[in-house]
Amino acid sequence: MVRTLILMRHGKSSYPDGVGDHERPLAPRGQREAGLAGDWLRETQPPIDAVRCSTAVRTRETLAATGITAPVVYERGIYEASPRTLIELIQLSDDDVETLLLIGHAPGMPWTAWELAANRNSNQAVELSRKFPTSALAVLEFDRPWSDIDAGTGELVRFHIPR
């Protein structure tokens, strides 16, 4: 069974005075681009079975703007997580989940995509290594159970920036 992992960086956030980083909301551009990301996901990707999302306000608002309605688990540990931490979280996914959406932050999302990809010389990987802007999505496929996913075991099949 092919497993699909979609790593998404949150939408563009705003910077209101007196609001801490974890509580920053999306900017209007972030709302719009997250909505475009949701459209792209529905049009081009397999149905999403599960979502793991950072507890930060901007990631929660990103998920809401995508319109994705799969079951979600909010994980504080995604905020400022290293690739190793994110990979360990992915490895805990249920066996019946075929497509997992993980919504988080930079540098965790791009570094994790890079770490998991076996095809780092592909056009998608080269583009991802240059810049992973807000609302960007990296789609990786794996030929193994979630518990066996590790560095270099996936194929980066798509990198999309919704604009």
Side-chain angles (χ1 to χ4, degrees):
M1 173 191 308
V2 173
R3 311 259 182 208
T4 302
L5 172 66
I6 303 166
L7 299 172
M8 181 179 187
R9 184 175 173 198
H10 63 77
K12 177 72 176 162
S13 60
S14 61
Y15 295 86
D17 289 337
V19 174
D21 186 68
H22 194 268
E23 305 307 315
R24 286 191 293 123
L26 287 181
R29 182 179 117 194
Q31 289 279 350
R32 183 181 60 78
E33 290 173 353
L36 292 172
D39 293 342
W40 182 82
L41 287 168
R42 281 184 291 284
E43 292 168 7
T44 67
Q45 299 305 302
I48 294 168
D49 299 309
V51 179
R52 291 194 182 256
C53 182
S54 165
T55 57
V57 170
R58 61 191 177 275
T59 54
R60 295 169 73 99
E61 289 182 354
T62 296
L63 175 58
T66 66
I68 300 298
T69 59
V72 60
V73 174
Y74 295 98
E75 302 270 355
R76 181 150 181 95
I78 295 172
Y79 185 77
E80 297 184 343
S82 68
R84 174 59 21 210
T85 298
L86 293 171
I87 291 169
E88 289 171 359
L89 181 66
I90 294 161
Q91 290 171 337
L92 297 174
S93 297
D94 291 337
D95 288 337
D96 61 340
V97 171
E98 293 180 33
T99 303
L100 174 66
L101 172 62
L102 182 64
I103 303 176
H105 311 266
M109 293 298 103
W111 288 359
T112 302
W114 182 259
E115 185 75 14
L116 290 171
N119 57 331
R120 293 182 183 160
N121 292 326
S122 69
N123 290 339
Q124 296 94 337
V126 170
E127 184 181 353
L128 178 148
S129 71
R130 289 186 185 135
K131 187 172 185 180
F132 199 106
T134 53
S135 295
L137 302 121
V139 181
L140 296 108
E141 291 182 350
F142 300 87
D143 63 355
R144 62 196 70 215
W146 294 115
S147 59
D148 294 340
I149 287 171
D150 213 337
T153 62
E155 289 293 314
L156 179 65
V157 295
R158 299 288 296 268
F159 179 63
H160 179 72
I161 302 168
R163 298 286 188 254

